[in-house]
């Protein structure tokens, strides 16, 4: 989910209520087990009072199962280890696979994926970044394209984004229009269907001060770079770039291959959803089949590390928050193992869990952010916002990063699945806590509302989360009973496999459900949905 201004108020209330209700964790937490959770008292305030304290914190995006980098890379162009990255404008490096590189995931129907290479210098002290960016874009639209539309979220901050140059296939372009979040590039000549072009940009960021209601920006010891570089938005009968809303994510991404070469100040630690590869004074990160590449930089990060199979899990936290910072590696490994077994293999090589000053949690590919408040409130057990929201954001690695969907128009697809995945985590890992989870996470709110609204159709953040997250979870639970647990499990696996690296719709969701088992869902759809499917 997405932080928003209303949450600042909510957060204060939540902090007061939760701090007053939770047992203090008192130093290093024991390894969480179902036996040692502290008693958790629910707040006694009327949950429907307005404004309502929300123990739920929204988070962001995630998607599909990536086989563990053992597939044969596509025969066409793949991620390229860039030669000496420089900050001078360079042509697209030749796309020669690095023999040591992990094998990209199999291409989906949308393949060949867009390919991004970023060479970026981050001046941590002065809070600026300069980057050369190369985008290899394949026209899969089925018709010629006269223009490209890019999302430039950093341009929504005053004086933050400067576009220094832009070229198509090496020829400088002047026919472009940058306004707010939208960059429209008129192509010198139409790009025929099934053809590719190379877009090169050079840009500078003056990183703004972050607020607790958003992630992008700097604070006293941390810089978060999310949605920080221009990207070509998906084309689905038209370019998909929705208007922002205070709640809910508005961005939609194609699955892409992304390489970042970065250098920054001595002593600064970078959290990225991929493993670092030293490359001279640069460090290289490569992600295959990712929606976006987010990172966080700090000169004060403390790092705890573990593994789940061949997945490296790193927790980046700050001094004073060791209990939650260290324990999250355990919970994250449990979540990765559970979801890999229940849905699909974890889609990335690594998972970064990053503490930050925000009022919520948020997901990006291979990287999640969690609020410092959650670490502060952490009671040493799984019955905590830190763990529940952390697991929610990790679930988005399947329902957002792997399986794409339109987060603005059909937010229930990734949010209800990620919320219900929390239940699947508890029933597999801490089964004694399942009824606690229903009460704490869902029933407490007495949720109502139709599940399938867009982010623009709800009157408030509370109305949005009640319907999309909580009623969505209730619907999935009833659907699971209707299908039978075995068929529901089969359905989730097939949904993840079929729509991996692609975009699923509500219609796809129900068509597949009926394909798995031909039962009648009409009454459930009438009960929970405004639309018919
Ligand atoms: Zn979410």
């Amino acid at each position: 989910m997405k932080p928003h201004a209303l949450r600042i108020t909510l957060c204060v209330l939540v902090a007061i209520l939760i701090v007053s209700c939770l047992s203090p964790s008192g130093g290093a937490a024991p390894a969480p087990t179902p036996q040692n959770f502290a008693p958790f008292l629910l707040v006694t305030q009327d949950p429907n009072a307005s404004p309502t304290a929300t123990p739920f914190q929204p988070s962001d995006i995630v998607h599909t199962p990536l086989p563990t980098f053992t597939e044969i890379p596509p025969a066409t162009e793949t991620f390229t280890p860039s030669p000496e990255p420089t900050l001078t404008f360079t042509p697209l490096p030749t796309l020669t696979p690095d023999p040591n590189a992990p094998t990209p995931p199999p291409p989906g129907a949308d393949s060949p994926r867009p390919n991004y290479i970023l060479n970026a210098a981050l001046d941590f002290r002065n809070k600026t970044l300069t980057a050369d960016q190369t985008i290899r874009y394949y026209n899969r639209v089925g018709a010629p394209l006269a223009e490209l539309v890019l999302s430039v979220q950093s341009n929504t901050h005053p004086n933050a984004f400067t576009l220094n140059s832009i070229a198509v296939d090496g020829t400088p372009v002047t026919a472009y229009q940058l306004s707010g979040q939208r960059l429209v590039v008129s192509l010198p000549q139409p790009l025929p269907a099934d053809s590719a072009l190379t877009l090169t940009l050079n840009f500078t960021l003056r990183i703004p001060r972050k607020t607790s209601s958003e992630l992008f920006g700097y604070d006293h010891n941390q810089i978060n770079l999310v949605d920080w570089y221009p990207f070509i938005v998906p084309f689905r009968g038209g370019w998909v770039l929705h208007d922002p809303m205070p709640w809910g994510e508005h961005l939609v991404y194609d699955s892409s291959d992304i390489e970042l070469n970065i250098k920054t100040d001595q002593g600064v630690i970078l959290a990225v959803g991929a493993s670092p590869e030293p490359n001279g004074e640069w460090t290289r990160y490569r992600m295959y089949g990712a929606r976006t590449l987010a990172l966080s930089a700090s000169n004060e990060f403390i790092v705890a590390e573990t593994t789940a199979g061949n997945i490296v899990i790193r927790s980046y936290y700050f001094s004073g928050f060791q209990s939650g910072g260290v324990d999250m590696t355990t919970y994250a490994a449990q979540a990765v193992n559970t979801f890999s077994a229940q849905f699909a293999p974890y889609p990335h090589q690594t998972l970064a869990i990053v503490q930050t000053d925000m009022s919520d949690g948020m997901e990006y590919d291979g990287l999640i952010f969690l609020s410092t408040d959650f670490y502060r409130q952490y009671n040493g057990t799984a019955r905590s916002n830190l763990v529940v929201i952390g697991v929610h954001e990790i679930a988005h690695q399947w329902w957002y990063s792997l399986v794409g969907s339109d987060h603005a128009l059909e937010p229930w697809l990734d949010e209800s699945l990620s919320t219900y995945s929390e239940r699947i985590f508890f029933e597999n890992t801490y089964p004694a806590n399942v009824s606690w989870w229903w009460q704490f996470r869902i029933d407490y709110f007495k949720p109502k509302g139709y599940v399938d609204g867009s982010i623009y159709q709800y009157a408030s953040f509370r109305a949005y989360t009640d319907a999309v997250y909580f009623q969505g979870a209730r619907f999935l639970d009833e659907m699971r009973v209707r299908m039978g647990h075995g068929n529901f499990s089969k359905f989730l696996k097939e949904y993840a496999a079929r729509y991996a690296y692609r975009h699923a719709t509500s219609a796809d969701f129900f068509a597949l459900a009926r394909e798995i088992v031909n039962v009648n869902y009409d009454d459930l759809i009438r009960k929970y949905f405004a639309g018919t499917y």
Side-chain angles (χ1 to χ4, degrees), residues 1-2 56-62 249 360-363 389 392-393 395-396 399-400 411 414-419 422 441 464 469:
M1 282 200 52
K2 176 176 186 171
F56 164 80
Q57 304 292 333
S59 61
D60 270 45
I61 333 168
V62 182
E249 286 77 50
D360 212 329
M362 191 67 175
E363 76 281 7
I389 306 301
H392 177 99
E393 308 307 343
H396 273 297
W399 319 127
Y400 145 78
D414 69 314
E415 293 301 353
S416 70
L417 276 170
S418 294
T419 304
E422 300 167 25
R441 190 71 164 128
Y464 169 66
Y469 289 65

Side-chain angles (χ1 to χ4, degrees), residues 272-276 285-287 293 314 349-350 365-366:
V272 184
S275 284
Y285 299 89
R286 286 179 283 185
M287 301 195 75
L293 188 150
R314 298 184 182 91
Q349 307 158 272
T350 66
D365 299 78

Side-chain angles (χ1 to χ4, degrees), residues 31 68 75 104 134 154 204 239 246 261 300 335 344 350 404 452:
T68 53
T134 302
S154 48
T204 303
W239 297 104
N261 294 283
E300 295 184 11
T350 66
D452 55 339

Side-chain angles (χ1 to χ4, degrees), residues 385-464:
N385 273 318
L386 183 69
V387 176
V388 172
I389 306 301
V391 167
H392 177 99
E393 308 307 343
I394 292 169
H396 273 297
Q397 299 302 320
W398 287 263
W399 319 127
Y400 145 78
S401 179
L402 183 58
V403 176
S405 53
D406 191 317
H407 312 293
L409 301 186
E410 298 185 304
W412 80 275
L413 278 172
D414 69 314
E415 293 301 353
S416 70
L417 276 170
S418 294
T419 304
Y420 196 71
S421 296
E422 300 167 25
R423 187 222 146 102
I424 292 173
F425 168 82
F426 277 102
E427 71 190 30
N428 280 277
T429 313
Y430 300 95
N433 287 355
V434 169
S435 56
W436 169 84
W437 178 84
W438 277 112
Q439 177 59 29
F440 173 75
R441 190 71 164 128
I442 310 289
D443 297 341
Y444 167 79
F445 294 98
K446 298 185 169 66
K448 56 182 186 295
Y450 286 121
V451 169
D452 55 339
S454 75
I455 60 173
Y456 311 104
Q457 289 177 291
Y458 296 99
S460 66
F461 172 69
R462 171 69 190 273
Y464 169 66

Side-chain angles (χ1 to χ4, degrees), residues 98 100-102 275-280 282-286 288 349:
D98 180 339
N100 298 317
S275 284
E277 303 169 49
N279 188 12
W282 299 79
T283 302
R284 180 169 58 192
Y285 299 89
R286 286 179 283 185
Y288 303 92
Q349 307 158 272

Side-chain angles (χ1 to χ4, degrees), residues 332-391:
Q334 291 169 339
V336 166
N337 286 332
T338 299
F339 298 151
S340 294
Q342 298 292 323
F343 310 149
Y346 178 75
H348 304 294
Q349 307 158 272
T350 66
L351 172 62
I353 301 148
V354 182
Q355 178 183 347
T356 198
D357 177 21
M358 67 183 298
S359 56
D360 212 329
M362 191 67 175
E363 76 281 7
Y364 295 92
D365 299 78
L367 183 150
I368 66 168
F369 288 99
L370 290 171
S371 166
T372 289
D373 290 339
F374 299 158
Y375 291 79
R376 187 176 290 119
Q377 299 156 5
Y378 177 56
N379 58 5
T381 81
R383 292 191 179 199
S384 56
N385 273 318
L386 183 69
V387 176
V388 172
I389 306 301
V391 167

